[in-house]
Amino acid sequence: MRRYFPILSWSRSYSRDTLASDAVAAVIVTIMLIPQSLAYALLAGLPAQVGLYASILPLVIYAVFGTSRTLAVGPVAVASLMTAAAVGKLAAIGTAEYYAAAIALAFLSGLMLLAMGLLRLGFIANFLSHPVISGFITASGLIIAAGQIPHLLGIKAKGETLTALVMQILENLHNINIFTTVLGASAVGFLFWSRKHLKGWLLARNIGPNLATVLTRAAPVAAVAVTTLVTFVFGLDARGVAVVGTVPQGLPVPTLPPFALDLWSQIAMPALLIAIVGYVETISVAQTLAAKRRQRIDPDQELVALGACNIGSAVSGGFPVTGGFSRSVVNFDAGAQTPAAGAFTAIGMALATVFLTPLLFFLPKATLAATIILAVLTLVDLGAIRRTLAYSRTDGAAMIATILVTLAMGVESGILAGVALSLFLHLYRTSRPHVAIVGQVPGTEHFRNVDRHAVITAPDVLTVRVDESLYFPNARFLEEFIQEKIAVNKAIRHLVLMFPAVNAVDSSALESLEAINQMLKDSNVTLHMSEVKGPVMDRLRRSHFLQDLTGDVFLTQYDAMAQLAPDLTRKTLAACRRNTLRNGGQ
């Protein structure tokens, strides 16, 4: 029960001090989450209150099922963008069909995550390499930021790609609303300044560190309050400033998604992509924060927890949610000790939904756009391109390709291209495994690459070390490599396959080994093996390969050379030792 309900573990030691720490963290996160949830709902093309709905029940559910002590679940920028991209193809923004499709998307995504967790399929997320994920998030951040510029300028412009957005913005620049622009620019400037300098400014005026931190986190709330008041006092809504308008007051009414087969078939792929990307982001944040406190995260249980959170979001009228980086870090820094901090945050969000929504009527959408822009710019890491290229050109190329495809063709195409690139790069790298000819290091029983070390080799023995598992993409490569070496060196009478790094040999590779054995036999060369791992030997014993092998299988490479070239091997071992003893004696 504790495995599937981690709350049974941490709740047993819950104390008054822990309660105080969690409550303080919840207050800080609630202050931060209110404007974010409103903004991300609008980013997803949904009414503002839907963001509040998606920030209540999922937090309570995660407190029951989650294994991270500090992860904060809720609406995030990338998932909101992916929601808008997926649902926008099915219905018009603002319609009941659009809202219903977003709920169905969260529900189906949650079911997929839940099934993956119960089947322990967390490894699926590994198909997205870090450079690809980094490139996708960077590109998504740029699209999100560009998509908020029209709200800052008071113009209309839409587009799923950066190119389409920029073109529409340029075409509508003549329709700029000066009041909206001033409000938006002021909000952006204030939020940017507060993030960089507000805490230091407060500390310089003898404000306590804890209070300074809370006030800094509350800067977006201050921006919301001031711009809302200015809009109300000066009647800017009548002068073209877009406002949030009426926000229904009260807690969400439990609902069920539409169970239309045609709708589910259309959102199946977007739901899977949101599930995988959301899980990758969630587990990355959770593991990073857990490592700082030497805590443990269960990846498969996190799938269950995130799936349950999305189902809870759908049932409560929300949209897809995941673990947010910025609010999780704030939760961690604020001293949260258990997932109960999330449940307390949910209480705060529920109170905001009940009591604060009437005050949001005159909230300018430009202020929410400024909040989104400042939040997503932390996701954009263009410097990672240079760092990745410097380390690996193929990984750097994959990152650049993912960014370009996402910017040019949209988020779904970008993530699909990223998955395809990740798989292609894996197959490409492993199709040409590192293979080395090795020799004996003088004075030792160790064998190393002849191209990197001063080693001794026997003229009639060729030892080939394979540094990767053998399977269908690279099986033929080993055949061709050995055939080439045998063809150019007629003196070879023995060939030893050294397998210390081979963890698996699939059926295709087994056929290649059988072909190598037969080819060497026809060339009057005996095939031997050394340092074969137990699991590999177990599988080879289930075939006829070992019976047909022309040579032997040795426990160590030294054992192999001691039998195949005994004089040279022992002299190589002894000569250096004699020199060492002689030098030591002197």
PDB file of all heavy atoms in Angstrom, residues 165-194:
ATOM      1  N   LEU A 165       3.216  33.746 -36.625  1.00  0.00           N
ATOM      2  CA  LEU A 165       2.979  34.765 -35.603  1.00  0.00           C
ATOM      3  C   LEU A 165       3.622  36.095 -35.974  1.00  0.00           C
ATOM      4  O   LEU A 165       2.989  37.157 -35.897  1.00  0.00           O
ATOM      5  CB  LEU A 165       3.522  34.283 -34.259  1.00  0.00           C
ATOM      6  CG  LEU A 165       2.619  33.363 -33.428  1.00  0.00           C
ATOM      7  CD1 LEU A 165       3.397  32.770 -32.269  1.00  0.00           C
ATOM      8  CD2 LEU A 165       1.407  34.136 -32.929  1.00  0.00           C
ATOM      9  N   VAL A 166       4.880  36.041 -36.379  1.00  0.00           N
ATOM     10  CA  VAL A 166       5.604  37.270 -36.712  1.00  0.00           C
ATOM     11  C   VAL A 166       4.943  37.978 -37.892  1.00  0.00           C
ATOM     12  O   VAL A 166       4.777  39.213 -37.886  1.00  0.00           O
ATOM     13  CB  VAL A 166       7.083  36.954 -37.018  1.00  0.00           C
ATOM     14  CG1 VAL A 166       7.792  38.181 -37.579  1.00  0.00           C
ATOM     15  CG2 VAL A 166       7.793  36.470 -35.764  1.00  0.00           C
ATOM     16  N   MET A 167       4.541  37.206 -38.894  1.00  0.00           N
ATOM     17  CA  MET A 167       3.893  37.811 -40.068  1.00  0.00           C
ATOM     18  C   MET A 167       2.595  38.509 -39.679  1.00  0.00           C
ATOM     19  O   MET A 167       2.326  39.640 -40.122  1.00  0.00           O
ATOM     20  CB  MET A 167       3.622  36.735 -41.116  1.00  0.00           C
ATOM     21  CG  MET A 167       4.888  36.162 -41.754  1.00  0.00           C
ATOM     22  SD  MET A 167       5.849  37.419 -42.655  1.00  0.00           S
ATOM     23  CE  MET A 167       4.708  37.839 -43.958  1.00  0.00           C
ATOM     24  N   GLN A 168       1.798  37.867 -38.849  1.00  0.00           N
ATOM     25  CA  GLN A 168       0.523  38.482 -38.452  1.00  0.00           C
ATOM     26  C   GLN A 168       0.748  39.699 -37.574  1.00  0.00           C
ATOM     27  O   GLN A 168       0.013  40.694 -37.662  1.00  0.00           O
ATOM     28  CB  GLN A 168      -0.342  37.453 -37.729  1.00  0.00           C
ATOM     29  CG  GLN A 168      -0.889  36.371 -38.630  1.00  0.00           C
ATOM     30  CD  GLN A 168      -2.353  36.084 -38.344  1.00  0.00           C
ATOM     31  OE1 GLN A 168      -2.939  36.586 -37.385  1.00  0.00           O
ATOM     32  NE2 GLN A 168      -2.947  35.278 -39.190  1.00  0.00           N
ATOM     33  N   ILE A 169       1.752  39.647 -36.713  1.00  0.00           N
ATOM     34  CA  ILE A 169       2.058  40.809 -35.867  1.00  0.00           C
ATOM     35  C   ILE A 169       2.460  41.998 -36.737  1.00  0.00           C
ATOM     36  O   ILE A 169       1.986  43.128 -36.529  1.00  0.00           O
ATOM     37  CB  ILE A 169       3.168  40.470 -34.860  1.00  0.00           C
ATOM     38  CG1 ILE A 169       2.656  39.486 -33.803  1.00  0.00           C
ATOM     39  CG2 ILE A 169       3.690  41.735 -34.175  1.00  0.00           C
ATOM     40  CD1 ILE A 169       3.741  38.941 -32.897  1.00  0.00           C
ATOM     41  N   LEU A 170       3.303  41.753 -37.714  1.00  0.00           N
ATOM     42  CA  LEU A 170       3.749  42.839 -38.599  1.00  0.00           C
ATOM     43  C   LEU A 170       2.593  43.411 -39.404  1.00  0.00           C
ATOM     44  O   LEU A 170       2.517  44.629 -39.642  1.00  0.00           O
ATOM     45  CB  LEU A 170       4.846  42.321 -39.538  1.00  0.00           C
ATOM     46  CG  LEU A 170       6.175  41.937 -38.861  1.00  0.00           C
ATOM     47  CD1 LEU A 170       7.140  41.355 -39.884  1.00  0.00           C
ATOM     48  CD2 LEU A 170       6.795  43.151 -38.164  1.00  0.00           C
ATOM     49  N   GLU A 171       1.674  42.544 -39.830  1.00  0.00           N
ATOM     50  CA  GLU A 171       0.539  43.008 -40.627  1.00  0.00           C
ATOM     51  C   GLU A 171      -0.431  43.865 -39.821  1.00  0.00           C
ATOM     52  O   GLU A 171      -1.167  44.673 -40.394  1.00  0.00           O
ATOM     53  CB  GLU A 171      -0.205  41.805 -41.210  1.00  0.00           C
ATOM     54  CG  GLU A 171       0.569  41.060 -42.288  1.00  0.00           C
ATOM     55  CD  GLU A 171      -0.154  39.795 -42.742  1.00  0.00           C
ATOM     56  OE1 GLU A 171      -1.267  39.539 -42.217  1.00  0.00           O
ATOM     57  OE2 GLU A 171       0.386  39.073 -43.608  1.00  0.00           O
ATOM     58  N   ASN A 172      -0.447  43.662 -38.494  1.00  0.00           N
ATOM     59  CA  ASN A 172      -1.428  44.361 -37.667  1.00  0.00           C
ATOM     60  C   ASN A 172      -0.809  45.423 -36.760  1.00  0.00           C
ATOM     61  O   ASN A 172      -1.474  45.898 -35.836  1.00  0.00           O
ATOM     62  CB  ASN A 172      -2.185  43.357 -36.803  1.00  0.00           C
ATOM     63  CG  ASN A 172      -3.102  42.465 -37.611  1.00  0.00           C
ATOM     64  OD1 ASN A 172      -4.208  42.848 -37.986  1.00  0.00           O
ATOM     65  ND2 ASN A 172      -2.640  41.255 -37.908  1.00  0.00           N
ATOM     66  N   LEU A 173       0.422  45.793 -37.017  1.00  0.00           N
ATOM     67  CA  LEU A 173       1.074  46.792 -36.169  1.00  0.00           C
ATOM     68  C   LEU A 173       0.348  48.136 -36.184  1.00  0.00           C
ATOM     69  O   LEU A 173       0.416  48.896 -35.212  1.00  0.00           O
ATOM     70  CB  LEU A 173       2.531  46.990 -36.619  1.00  0.00           C
ATOM     71  CG  LEU A 173       3.539  45.939 -36.140  1.00  0.00           C
ATOM     72  CD1 LEU A 173       4.921  46.217 -36.697  1.00  0.00           C
ATOM     73  CD2 LEU A 173       3.571  45.873 -34.611  1.00  0.00           C
ATOM     74  N   HIS A 174      -0.351  48.434 -37.280  1.00  0.00           N
ATOM     75  CA  HIS A 174      -1.043  49.720 -37.362  1.00  0.00           C
ATOM     76  C   HIS A 174      -2.256  49.788 -36.429  1.00  0.00           C
ATOM     77  O   HIS A 174      -2.834  50.867 -36.226  1.00  0.00           O
ATOM     78  CB  HIS A 174      -1.503  49.974 -38.805  1.00  0.00           C
ATOM     79  CG  HIS A 174      -2.464  48.946 -39.325  1.00  0.00           C
ATOM     80  ND1 HIS A 174      -2.047  47.696 -39.747  1.00  0.00           N
ATOM     81  CD2 HIS A 174      -3.822  48.973 -39.450  1.00  0.00           C
ATOM     82  CE1 HIS A 174      -3.115  46.996 -40.148  1.00  0.00           C
ATOM     83  NE2 HIS A 174      -4.189  47.745 -39.972  1.00  0.00           N
ATOM     84  N   ASN A 175      -2.637  48.650 -35.848  1.00  0.00           N
ATOM     85  CA  ASN A 175      -3.798  48.621 -34.947  1.00  0.00           C
ATOM     86  C   ASN A 175      -3.405  48.652 -33.475  1.00  0.00           C
ATOM     87  O   ASN A 175      -4.230  48.350 -32.606  1.00  0.00           O
ATOM     88  CB  ASN A 175      -4.632  47.364 -35.211  1.00  0.00           C
ATOM     89  CG  ASN A 175      -5.269  47.382 -36.588  1.00  0.00           C
ATOM     90  OD1 ASN A 175      -5.698  48.440 -37.070  1.00  0.00           O
ATOM     91  ND2 ASN A 175      -5.333  46.222 -37.228  1.00  0.00           N
ATOM     92  N   ILE A 176      -2.165  49.017 -33.175  1.00  0.00           N
ATOM     93  CA  ILE A 176      -1.699  49.019 -31.789  1.00  0.00           C
ATOM     94  C   ILE A 176      -2.569  49.931 -30.924  1.00  0.00           C
ATOM     95  O   ILE A 176      -2.916  51.045 -31.323  1.00  0.00           O
ATOM     96  CB  ILE A 176      -0.229  49.485 -31.719  1.00  0.00           C
ATOM     97  CG1 ILE A 176       0.695  48.392 -32.246  1.00  0.00           C
ATOM     98  CG2 ILE A 176       0.166  49.841 -30.290  1.00  0.00           C
ATOM     99  CD1 ILE A 176       2.151  48.777 -32.248  1.00  0.00           C
ATOM    100  N   ASN A 177      -2.918  49.428 -29.729  1.00  0.00           N
ATOM    101  CA  ASN A 177      -3.652  50.232 -28.755  1.00  0.00           C
ATOM    102  C   ASN A 177      -2.639  50.800 -27.759  1.00  0.00           C
ATOM    103  O   ASN A 177      -1.981  50.053 -27.045  1.00  0.00           O
ATOM    104  CB  ASN A 177      -4.681  49.354 -28.028  1.00  0.00           C
ATOM    105  CG  ASN A 177      -5.517  50.136 -27.038  1.00  0.00           C
ATOM    106  OD1 ASN A 177      -5.042  50.557 -26.000  1.00  0.00           O
ATOM    107  ND2 ASN A 177      -6.782  50.327 -27.387  1.00  0.00           N
ATOM    108  N   ILE A 178      -2.538  52.098 -27.715  1.00  0.00           N
ATOM    109  CA  ILE A 178      -1.496  52.740 -26.922  1.00  0.00           C
ATOM    110  C   ILE A 178      -1.666  52.475 -25.428  1.00  0.00           C
ATOM    111  O   ILE A 178      -0.686  52.302 -24.681  1.00  0.00           O
ATOM    112  CB  ILE A 178      -1.460  54.272 -27.195  1.00  0.00           C
ATOM    113  CG1 ILE A 178      -0.259  54.907 -26.494  1.00  0.00           C
ATOM    114  CG2 ILE A 178      -2.764  54.910 -26.798  1.00  0.00           C
ATOM    115  CD1 ILE A 178       1.065  54.404 -27.015  1.00  0.00           C
ATOM    116  N   PHE A 179      -2.922  52.429 -24.957  1.00  0.00           N
ATOM    117  CA  PHE A 179      -3.149  52.180 -23.524  1.00  0.00           C
ATOM    118  C   PHE A 179      -2.724  50.757 -23.142  1.00  0.00           C
ATOM    119  O   PHE A 179      -2.103  50.540 -22.094  1.00  0.00           O
ATOM    120  CB  PHE A 179      -4.622  52.397 -23.188  1.00  0.00           C
ATOM    121  CG  PHE A 179      -5.100  53.784 -23.476  1.00  0.00           C
ATOM    122  CD1 PHE A 179      -5.875  54.045 -24.604  1.00  0.00           C
ATOM    123  CD2 PHE A 179      -4.765  54.842 -22.639  1.00  0.00           C
ATOM    124  CE1 PHE A 179      -6.318  55.334 -24.883  1.00  0.00           C
ATOM    125  CE2 PHE A 179      -5.202  56.132 -22.912  1.00  0.00           C
ATOM    126  CZ  PHE A 179      -5.970  56.374 -24.038  1.00  0.00           C
ATOM    127  N   THR A 180      -3.059  49.797 -24.004  1.00  0.00           N
ATOM    128  CA  THR A 180      -2.642  48.412 -23.759  1.00  0.00           C
ATOM    129  C   THR A 180      -1.135  48.296 -23.767  1.00  0.00           C
ATOM    130  O   THR A 180      -0.536  47.613 -22.924  1.00  0.00           O
ATOM    131  CB  THR A 180      -3.244  47.483 -24.824  1.00  0.00           C
ATOM    132  OG1 THR A 180      -4.662  47.583 -24.803  1.00  0.00           O
ATOM    133  CG2 THR A 180      -2.845  46.039 -24.575  1.00  0.00           C
ATOM    134  N   THR A 181      -0.498  48.965 -24.731  1.00  0.00           N
ATOM    135  CA  THR A 181       0.951  48.893 -24.852  1.00  0.00           C
ATOM    136  C   THR A 181       1.644  49.463 -23.616  1.00  0.00           C
ATOM    137  O   THR A 181       2.620  48.890 -23.104  1.00  0.00           O
ATOM    138  CB  THR A 181       1.420  49.644 -26.109  1.00  0.00           C
ATOM    139  OG1 THR A 181       0.762  49.110 -27.256  1.00  0.00           O
ATOM    140  CG2 THR A 181       2.920  49.525 -26.289  1.00  0.00           C
ATOM    141  N   VAL A 182       1.143  50.579 -23.117  1.00  0.00           N
ATOM    142  CA  VAL A 182       1.742  51.187 -21.924  1.00  0.00           C
ATOM    143  C   VAL A 182       1.581  50.272 -20.716  1.00  0.00           C
ATOM    144  O   VAL A 182       2.526  50.056 -19.943  1.00  0.00           O
ATOM    145  CB  VAL A 182       1.111  52.569 -21.649  1.00  0.00           C
ATOM    146  CG1 VAL A 182       1.557  53.105 -20.290  1.00  0.00           C
ATOM    147  CG2 VAL A 182       1.495  53.543 -22.748  1.00  0.00           C
ATOM    148  N   LEU A 183       0.381  49.709 -20.545  1.00  0.00           N
ATOM    149  CA  LEU A 183       0.148  48.793 -19.435  1.00  0.00           C
ATOM    150  C   LEU A 183       1.047  47.565 -19.545  1.00  0.00           C
ATOM    151  O   LEU A 183       1.685  47.146 -18.578  1.00  0.00           O
ATOM    152  CB  LEU A 183      -1.322  48.350 -19.403  1.00  0.00           C
ATOM    153  CG  LEU A 183      -2.322  49.283 -18.735  1.00  0.00           C
ATOM    154  CD1 LEU A 183      -3.731  48.722 -18.884  1.00  0.00           C
ATOM    155  CD2 LEU A 183      -1.996  49.465 -17.258  1.00  0.00           C
ATOM    156  N   GLY A 184       1.093  46.975 -20.740  1.00  0.00           N
ATOM    157  CA  GLY A 184       1.895  45.765 -20.948  1.00  0.00           C
ATOM    158  C   GLY A 184       3.369  46.016 -20.749  1.00  0.00           C
ATOM    159  O   GLY A 184       4.067  45.233 -20.077  1.00  0.00           O
ATOM    160  N   ALA A 185       3.877  47.119 -21.336  1.00  0.00           N
ATOM    161  CA  ALA A 185       5.296  47.428 -21.209  1.00  0.00           C
ATOM    162  C   ALA A 185       5.654  47.722 -19.747  1.00  0.00           C
ATOM    163  O   ALA A 185       6.720  47.312 -19.264  1.00  0.00           O
ATOM    164  CB  ALA A 185       5.656  48.625 -22.088  1.00  0.00           C
ATOM    165  N   SER A 186       4.766  48.399 -19.040  1.00  0.00           N
ATOM    166  CA  SER A 186       5.023  48.698 -17.625  1.00  0.00           C
ATOM    167  C   SER A 186       5.065  47.410 -16.806  1.00  0.00           C
ATOM    168  O   SER A 186       5.920  47.255 -15.922  1.00  0.00           O
ATOM    169  CB  SER A 186       3.926  49.618 -17.079  1.00  0.00           C
ATOM    170  OG  SER A 186       3.892  50.831 -17.803  1.00  0.00           O
ATOM    171  N   ALA A 187       4.148  46.487 -17.094  1.00  0.00           N
ATOM    172  CA  ALA A 187       4.122  45.223 -16.369  1.00  0.00           C
ATOM    173  C   ALA A 187       5.382  44.409 -16.645  1.00  0.00           C
ATOM    174  O   ALA A 187       5.986  43.847 -15.720  1.00  0.00           O
ATOM    175  CB  ALA A 187       2.881  44.419 -16.751  1.00  0.00           C
ATOM    176  N   VAL A 188       5.795  44.342 -17.911  1.00  0.00           N
ATOM    177  CA  VAL A 188       7.010  43.608 -18.259  1.00  0.00           C
ATOM    178  C   VAL A 188       8.218  44.222 -17.562  1.00  0.00           C
ATOM    179  O   VAL A 188       9.054  43.512 -16.972  1.00  0.00           O
ATOM    180  CB  VAL A 188       7.225  43.595 -19.790  1.00  0.00           C
ATOM    181  CG1 VAL A 188       8.611  43.058 -20.128  1.00  0.00           C
ATOM    182  CG2 VAL A 188       6.170  42.737 -20.472  1.00  0.00           C
ATOM    183  N   GLY A 189       8.325  45.567 -17.623  1.00  0.00           N
ATOM    184  CA  GLY A 189       9.458  46.238 -16.991  1.00  0.00           C
ATOM    185  C   GLY A 189       9.497  46.003 -15.487  1.00  0.00           C
ATOM    186  O   GLY A 189      10.558  45.717 -14.914  1.00  0.00           O
ATOM    187  N   PHE A 190       8.332  46.096 -14.853  1.00  0.00           N
ATOM    188  CA  PHE A 190       8.289  45.906 -13.404  1.00  0.00           C
ATOM    189  C   PHE A 190       8.634  44.468 -13.023  1.00  0.00           C
ATOM    190  O   PHE A 190       9.408  44.235 -12.080  1.00  0.00           O
ATOM    191  CB  PHE A 190       6.897  46.265 -12.879  1.00  0.00           C
ATOM    192  CG  PHE A 190       6.687  45.871 -11.440  1.00  0.00           C
ATOM    193  CD1 PHE A 190       7.325  46.566 -10.420  1.00  0.00           C
ATOM    194  CD2 PHE A 190       5.886  44.783 -11.112  1.00  0.00           C
ATOM    195  CE1 PHE A 190       7.144  46.196  -9.090  1.00  0.00           C
ATOM    196  CE2 PHE A 190       5.708  44.407  -9.787  1.00  0.00           C
ATOM    197  CZ  PHE A 190       6.333  45.119  -8.775  1.00  0.00           C
ATOM    198  N   LEU A 191       8.069  43.515 -13.727  1.00  0.00           N
ATOM    199  CA  LEU A 191       8.336  42.111 -13.412  1.00  0.00           C
ATOM    200  C   LEU A 191       9.799  41.759 -13.647  1.00  0.00           C
ATOM    201  O   LEU A 191      10.407  41.014 -12.861  1.00  0.00           O
ATOM    202  CB  LEU A 191       7.432  41.202 -14.243  1.00  0.00           C
ATOM    203  CG  LEU A 191       5.934  41.259 -13.891  1.00  0.00           C
ATOM    204  CD1 LEU A 191       5.120  40.414 -14.873  1.00  0.00           C
ATOM    205  CD2 LEU A 191       5.697  40.794 -12.465  1.00  0.00           C
ATOM    206  N   PHE A 192      10.360  42.281 -14.723  1.00  0.00           N
ATOM    207  CA  PHE A 192      11.772  42.022 -14.993  1.00  0.00           C
ATOM    208  C   PHE A 192      12.646  42.642 -13.906  1.00  0.00           C
ATOM    209  O   PHE A 192      13.570  42.007 -13.387  1.00  0.00           O
ATOM    210  CB  PHE A 192      12.156  42.583 -16.361  1.00  0.00           C
ATOM    211  CG  PHE A 192      13.574  42.302 -16.745  1.00  0.00           C
ATOM    212  CD1 PHE A 192      13.949  41.074 -17.266  1.00  0.00           C
ATOM    213  CD2 PHE A 192      14.565  43.271 -16.581  1.00  0.00           C
ATOM    214  CE1 PHE A 192      15.268  40.809 -17.607  1.00  0.00           C
ATOM    215  CE2 PHE A 192      15.880  43.020 -16.920  1.00  0.00           C
ATOM    216  CZ  PHE A 192      16.230  41.782 -17.435  1.00  0.00           C
ATOM    217  N   TRP A 193      12.349  43.874 -13.524  1.00  0.00           N
ATOM    218  CA  TRP A 193      13.133  44.540 -12.470  1.00  0.00           C
ATOM    219  C   TRP A 193      12.977  43.818 -11.139  1.00  0.00           C
ATOM    220  O   TRP A 193      13.953  43.620 -10.411  1.00  0.00           O
ATOM    221  CB  TRP A 193      12.683  45.995 -12.332  1.00  0.00           C
ATOM    222  CG  TRP A 193      13.353  46.699 -11.189  1.00  0.00           C
ATOM    223  CD1 TRP A 193      14.585  47.299 -11.181  1.00  0.00           C
ATOM    224  CD2 TRP A 193      12.826  46.857  -9.856  1.00  0.00           C
ATOM    225  NE1 TRP A 193      14.872  47.809  -9.943  1.00  0.00           N
ATOM    226  CE2 TRP A 193      13.809  47.560  -9.105  1.00  0.00           C
ATOM    227  CE3 TRP A 193      11.642  46.483  -9.239  1.00  0.00           C
ATOM    228  CZ2 TRP A 193      13.614  47.889  -7.768  1.00  0.00           C
ATOM    229  CZ3 TRP A 193      11.449  46.802  -7.911  1.00  0.00           C
ATOM    230  CH2 TRP A 193      12.432  47.498  -7.180  1.00  0.00           C
ATOM    231  N   SER A 194      11.761  43.407 -10.807  1.00  0.00           N
ATOM    232  CA  SER A 194      11.527  42.756  -9.519  1.00  0.00           C
ATOM    233  C   SER A 194      12.258  41.422  -9.432  1.00  0.00           C
ATOM    234  O   SER A 194      12.764  41.063  -8.368  1.00  0.00           O
ATOM    235  CB  SER A 194      10.026  42.552  -9.293  1.00  0.00           C
ATOM    236  OG  SER A 194       9.483  41.652 -10.260  1.00  0.00           O
TER     237      SER A 194
END
